[in-house]
Amino acid sequence: MFAGTHWASGSVIGKLIRWERNEETVVSEVVGVVADVLDDGLTASPDPFIYYPFAQSPRRSAAFAIRTTGEPTEIALSVRRMIRAVDSEIPPRFASSLAVVFSALALVIAGLGIYGVMSYAVLARTREIGIRTALGAQRSNVVSLILRQGIGLTFVGVILGLALAAVAGRVLSSLLFGVSIGDPLSYLSAPAVLVVVAMVASYLPVRRALAVELVDVLRSDGR
């Protein structure tokens, strides 16, 4: 479309194009013409587009469009080999990036889940906490009791999670570039975050419960 718009007739090979890059004028020579590309969908009109050699206009990312007359899946292996021949670390970096993103997302979701469950469990014991305090229990002892119970449940989940992670790690070992399956940092960082979340989720509701008068607790419980 670009060639037809700017050069209606005659060959465009060898024509010059002037464009701005980094506040300087660049002159490029046309060395070929490709068919219109429908980037915005099959029903949308094609937009004018110019392709430059990667060496002349390097980018942090790249996309490949491959045309084949046969079954596309049959050339997948050959394409992967060609990409590895250019930079053998491209596929591992992409897979590692996906693993990091999904792992971080899973950790956030797990943390939010633990916080919600622990907060609800502690708030459900507000009446019990008020009665213990009224009977003479020290506030520090009540907080310690709730924290021990909450962290104990968290440790059970962490142990089960580590066991499953050890099994899954062997399956996903091909994505762990530079990190061994038994890497201690990988197995300690996530559980540490979850334990801290469990402590916070237990401590904050206990503080609120201890600040409520026993009479108010009993009245609210009877409604």
Side-chain angles (χ1 to χ4, degrees), residues 86-106:
V86 176
D87 189 344
S88 60
E89 295 185 359
I90 290 178
R93 286 201 300 266
F94 178 73
S96 300
S97 300
L98 287 181
V100 170
V101 170
F102 284 115
S103 298
L105 181 61

Side-chain angles (χ1 to χ4, degrees), residues 127 212-223:
R127 185 170 182 269
V212 179
E213 296 293 336
L214 178 59
V215 176
D216 297 331
V217 173
L218 295 177
R219 287 176 178 175
S220 62
D221 187 71
R223 292 178 182 175

